[in-house]
């Protein structure tokens, strides 16, 4: 064997080993890379892929989120077959999704808005529907297009029963506040009867050439003392005695059981005047440039001297202060008592230059009561329009109207107003029975009037005239009314038509007859 052969063999052996090493190295590197890539892919799926759009829509996550919304969701194909229903929609009907999917939408929602979208291929937005009363839903429905091809539609709806209930409560409270707040808008009433001279005198308080005066208003509770003070205030603004933005500050003096607190409320206080006191304006300062209305003024006997000084000097001093403040205030004191017997002579003289006494309701004429009656009925109708945008017509039977006008009201006008409101409430339909009606007529009968009032009605002084035959709805006239009503005429037009035919049937009788004959339509 040649001596150089081992060298050659060793050389090829080294080359072979290097080659094997490279192969093994590459295999190991590729294996290692695949392992790292595999684990990297797993880590990426765990920590990052949940946030990607592809994984979100390819996983059940989207459906889980749709099931946890507060809205119901329905999806249908072009034939109205449900292809998706979320749990909210199924729960509204006490159904399961499995039972609903694959069936027609009308099997579960007979008035489904989706049916309109399938027909018109256009969205329907903010549609209110009643599924099973009293449940109410607001629905938004949209068509589904894929590459320009109409594929179906979907609806998103929400139960708004609770929202509607809260809105109804708010509107009801607003209407009650409107009906019960002190009157300032029935000048037509004060122009007649016992109120005519009082209103003229009230205008002189602020409209005389000698300048505005302080005044006293007396009368039983509920006779309209606050109303008269408001009339004086508005008249003073109208003629320019006070500015258009002048304040009207009203305070019920009877609410103060502590005379010291009352004095601080009326005249104000400075910080440190008493334990915990702060710097604050009193009612005189708040009313500066306008009118201060002191209701139940007979209860201020403990600080009459302070009130007298403020009226005489035109200056007030806050409790605990040494500085005087100029004020320009018209004071109107109202009371159910005779202030001549309660006030200091000097204070009564300053306030009583103009004293007005409001008579009780029982002392007023029937004409004046009828004006008040008409005013409160109209006010109720207007309140319904403001709250619900419904044209409301309130009618009273002759017996019911007579009972209200001749009842005894210990609390006077305020009580009469409350009785009228209560009677209309009792005769009115429930909100849930109104539906989509925009015009309603209500007839108030004796049964709707509070028994405490109907049991104290002044007796009639003469027998009423017998009812004329032309006032009676005979079978012939009843047929005429029905035929006219079924052609779309209302009670007023029907009464007018009957008048032309020689039948003198009052409007309220026609309305009452229709209410009896068609209870579900009136």
């Amino acid at each position: 064997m040649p001596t150089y052969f081992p060298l050659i063999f060793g050389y090829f052996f080294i080359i072979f080993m290097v080659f094997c090493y490279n192969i093994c190295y590459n295999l190991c590197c590729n294996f290692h890379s695949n392992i790292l890539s595999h684990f990297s892919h797993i880590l990426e799926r765990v920590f990052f892929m949940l946030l990607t759009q592809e994984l979100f829509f390819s996983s059940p996550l989207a459906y889980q989120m749709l099931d946890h919304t507060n809205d119901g969701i329905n999806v249908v194909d072009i034939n109205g077959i449900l292809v998706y229903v979320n749990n909210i929609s199924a729960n509204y009907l006490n159904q399961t999704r499995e039972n609903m999917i694959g069936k027609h939408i009308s099997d579960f929602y007979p008035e489904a808005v989706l049916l309109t979208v399938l027909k018109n291929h256009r969205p329907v937005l903010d549609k209110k529907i009643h599924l099973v009363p009293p449940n109410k839903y607001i629905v938004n429905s949209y068509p589904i297009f894929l590459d320009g091809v109409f594929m179906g539609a979907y609806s998103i709806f929400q139960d708004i029963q609770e929202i509607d209930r809260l809105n109804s409560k708010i509107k009801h409270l607003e209407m009650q506040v409107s009906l019960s707040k002190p009157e300032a808008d029935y000048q037509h009433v004060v122009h007649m009867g016992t109120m005519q001279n009082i209103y003229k005198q009230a205008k002189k308080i602020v409209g005389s050439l000698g300048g505005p005066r302080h005044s006293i208003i007396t009368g039983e509770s509920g006779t309209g003392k606050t109303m008269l003070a408001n009339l004086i205030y508005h008249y003073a603004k109208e003629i320019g005695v006070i500015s258009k933005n002048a304040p009207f500050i009203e305070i019920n003096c009877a609410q103060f059981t502590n005379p010291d607190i009352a004095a601080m409320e009326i005249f104000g206080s400075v910080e440190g005047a008493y334990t915990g006191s702060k710097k604050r304006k009193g009612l005189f300062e708040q009313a500066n440039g306008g009118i201060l209305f002191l209701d139940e003024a007979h209860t201020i006997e403990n600080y009459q001297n302070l009130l007298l000084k403020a009226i005489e000097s035109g200056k007030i001093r806050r409790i605990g202060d040494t500085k005087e403040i100029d004020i320009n205030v018209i004071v109107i004191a109202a009371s159910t008592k005779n202030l001549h017997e309660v006030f200091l002579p000097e204070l009564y003289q300053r306030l009583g230059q103009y004293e007005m006494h409001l008579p009780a309701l029982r002392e007023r004429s029937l004409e004046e009561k009828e004006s008040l009656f008409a005013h409160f009925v109209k006010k109720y109708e207007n309140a319904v329009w403001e709250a619900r945008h419904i044209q409301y017509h309130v009618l009273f039977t002759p017996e019911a109207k007579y009972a209200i006008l001749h009842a005894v009201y210990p609390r006077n006008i305020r009580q009469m107003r409350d009785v009228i409101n209560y009677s209309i409430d009792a005769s009115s339909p429930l909100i849930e029975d109104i539906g989509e009606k925009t015009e309603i007529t209500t007839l108030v009968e004796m049964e709707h009037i509070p028994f405490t009032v109907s049991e104290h009605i002044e007796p009639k002084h003469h027998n009423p005239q017998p009812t004329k035959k032309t006032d009676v709805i005979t079978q012939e006239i009843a047929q005429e009314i029905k035929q006219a009503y079924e052609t779309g005429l209302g009670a007023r037009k029907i009464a007018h038509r009957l008048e032309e035919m020689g039948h003198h049937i009052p409007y309220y009788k026609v309305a009452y007859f229709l209410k009896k004959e068609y209870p579900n339509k009136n």
Side-chain angles (χ1 to χ4, degrees):
M1 177 181 294
T3 57
Y4 59 83
F5 181 78
L7 294 175
I8 295 173
F9 177 79
Y11 176 75
F12 279 105
F13 179 76
I14 292 172
I15 293 174
F16 175 76
M17 292 299 293
V18 171
F19 177 75
C20 291
Y21 173 78
N22 287 332
I23 292 175
C24 292
Y25 177 79
N26 288 332
L27 288 174
C28 289
C29 287
N30 289 335
F31 178 73
H32 181 261
S33 176
N34 288 336
I35 292 176
L36 290 177
S37 176
H38 178 69
F39 279 104
S40 174
H41 182 67
I42 293 174
L43 291 173
E44 189 175 0
R45 284 176 58 89
V46 172
F47 293 103
F48 301 104
M49 290 298 286
L50 289 177
L51 302 177
T52 65
Q53 182 178 358
E54 179 182 1
L55 183 58
F56 176 78
F57 286 105
S58 64
S59 70
L61 192 59
Y63 296 99
Q64 292 177 13
M65 292 182 66
L66 292 176
D67 279 334
H68 287 85
T69 64
N70 292 325
D71 300 331
I73 301 175
N74 294 323
V75 184
V76 297
D77 62 15
I78 58 175
N79 297 314
I81 303 301
L82 286 161
V83 297
Y84 174 76
V85 175
N86 73 345
N87 282 335
I88 300 298
S89 177
N91 290 339
Y92 280 151
L93 300 173
N94 294 322
Q95 294 281 342
T96 62
R97 289 192 302 179
E98 294 73 20
N99 186 45
M100 295 179 67
I101 293 176
K103 296 180 181 177
H104 200 273
I105 182 68
S106 61
D107 292 344
F108 306 98
Y109 297 93
E111 299 180 2
V113 182
L114 280 174
L115 299 175
T116 304
V117 179
L118 292 177
K119 180 180 179 180
N120 300 328
H121 296 188
R122 292 193 298 269
V124 177
L125 306 179
D126 297 331
K127 175 69 175 179
K128 285 186 180 181
I129 61 171
H130 292 270
L131 181 59
V132 179
N135 293 339
K136 182 183 289 186
Y137 306 89
I138 187 166
V139 183
N140 291 290
S141 298
Y142 305 87
I144 299 174
F145 289 94
L146 186 61
D147 297 328
V149 179
F150 181 67
M151 303 293 291
Y154 69 95
S155 278
I156 302 173
F157 61 95
Q158 184 180 29
D159 186 350
I160 58 171
Q161 178 184 353
E162 186 62 28
I163 296 175
D164 266 18
R165 185 183 295 114
L166 291 174
N167 285 337
S168 294
K169 287 182 179 179
I170 292 172
K171 289 178 179 179
H172 176 74
L173 290 173
E174 288 176 343
M175 189 171 73
Q176 295 304 315
V177 169
S178 175
L179 293 174
S180 301
K181 67 182 180 182
E183 299 292 339
D185 60 349
Y186 51 107
Q187 289 91 335
H188 62 284
V189 176
V190 299
H191 280 296
M192 62 177 60
T194 57
M195 291 295 295
Q196 188 172 13
N197 292 331
I198 294 175
Y199 185 53
K200 287 182 180 179
Q201 186 179 2
K203 292 169 71 174
K204 289 182 179 179
I205 293 172
V206 292
S208 62
L209 294 176
R213 308 289 186 183
H214 308 297
S215 60
I216 290 175
I217 304 174
T218 60
E220 294 180 11
S221 177
T223 50
K225 296 185 292 295
T226 301
M227 176 272 295
L228 186 57
N230 271 280
L231 286 174
I232 296 170
Y233 168 66
H234 288 292
Y235 180 71
K237 290 198 299 182
E238 181 183 333
I239 63 176
V241 171
I242 57 178
S243 69
K244 297 294 183 182
N245 299 321
F248 179 87
I249 303 299
E250 177 185 355
I251 184 66
N252 188 329
C253 301
Q255 68 180 328
F256 301 122
T257 56
N258 187 316
D260 295 330
I261 295 178
M264 285 182 281
E265 285 289 331
I266 294 176
F267 301 102
S269 62
V270 295
E271 188 171 357
Y274 58 95
T275 304
S277 67
K278 295 182 179 180
K279 182 179 179 180
R280 58 178 299 175
K281 288 184 177 181
L283 297 176
F284 262 104
E285 287 184 76
Q286 295 176 40
N288 197 22
I291 290 179
L292 175 61
F293 178 56
L294 302 175
D295 198 9
E296 301 297 335
H298 57 272
T299 61
I300 65 175
E301 50 190 298
N302 292 313
Y303 46 97
Q304 290 185 49
N305 285 317
L306 290 176
L307 181 59
L308 175 61
K309 182 178 180 182
I311 292 173
E312 286 185 333
S313 66
K315 300 177 183 294
I316 60 107
R317 183 182 297 172
R318 293 178 181 174
I319 303 302
D321 199 1
T322 57
K323 178 183 176 182
E324 289 188 332
I325 301 172
D326 292 329
I327 49 112
N328 180 22
V329 175
I330 301 172
V331 178
I332 301 177
S335 177
T336 57
K337 308 290 185 181
N338 183 352
L339 293 182
H340 180 69
E341 300 175 354
V342 176
F343 276 174
L344 296 172
E346 298 83 0
L347 179 58
Y348 178 80
Q349 181 182 352
R350 295 292 299 182
L351 287 176
Q353 298 177 43
Y354 283 92
E355 181 172 359
M356 296 158 289
H357 177 75
L358 291 174
L361 188 60
R362 62 184 176 274
E363 299 170 357
R364 305 191 186 190
S365 67
L366 180 61
E367 182 185 14
E368 192 172 338
K369 292 179 182 178
E370 287 179 341
S371 294
L372 287 167
F373 173 86
H375 168 74
F376 291 129
V377 172
K378 187 63 177 177
K379 187 174 182 180
Y380 195 107
E381 293 173 339
N382 292 339
V384 172
W385 172 254
E386 291 292 331
R388 309 197 178 278
H389 293 287
I390 294 175
Q391 290 185 349
Y392 199 39
H393 307 291
V394 180
L395 306 173
F396 283 74
T397 64
E399 296 79 10
K401 183 177 180 180
Y402 182 92
I404 287 180
L405 290 176
H406 293 82
V408 177
Y409 298 103
R411 292 188 292 111
N412 295 289
I413 297 176
R414 187 184 299 117
Q415 186 178 10
M416 180 183 183
R417 176 200 66 192
D418 294 343
V419 167
I420 292 173
N421 292 342
Y422 178 92
S423 301
I424 299 175
D425 284 344
S427 64
S428 300
L430 296 174
I431 295 174
E432 62 189 49
D433 296 331
I434 294 175
E436 302 299 324
K437 293 180 180 178
T438 58
E439 187 170 0
I440 299 172
T441 299
T442 287
L443 184 66
V444 181
E445 303 178 74
M446 281 295 295
E447 64 188 57
H448 301 127
I449 299 175
F451 70 93
T452 53
V453 173
S454 59
E455 289 179 355
H456 297 84
I457 300 173
E458 297 174 355
K460 296 184 179 181
H461 299 292
H462 60 276
N463 294 327
Q465 295 295 324
T467 305
K468 298 179 181 179
K469 291 184 178 180
T470 52
D471 292 337
V472 178
I473 299 179
T474 62
Q475 290 185 353
E476 178 185 355
I477 296 176
Q479 190 63 28
E480 290 286 344
I481 294 175
K482 290 180 180 179
Q483 290 177 358
Y485 182 74
E486 289 171 358
T487 62
L489 295 182
R492 293 185 186 276
K493 292 185 177 180
I494 294 174
H496 182 68
R497 173 179 288 188
L498 292 174
E499 182 74 17
E500 293 176 345
M501 297 170 62
H503 305 301
H504 305 290
I505 308 297
Y507 161 52
Y508 74 85
K509 283 193 174 183
V510 176
Y512 184 60
F513 174 83
L514 291 173
K515 183 177 181 181
K516 293 278 189 180
E517 293 293 322
Y518 302 94
N520 296 327
K521 293 185 179 181
N522 286 277

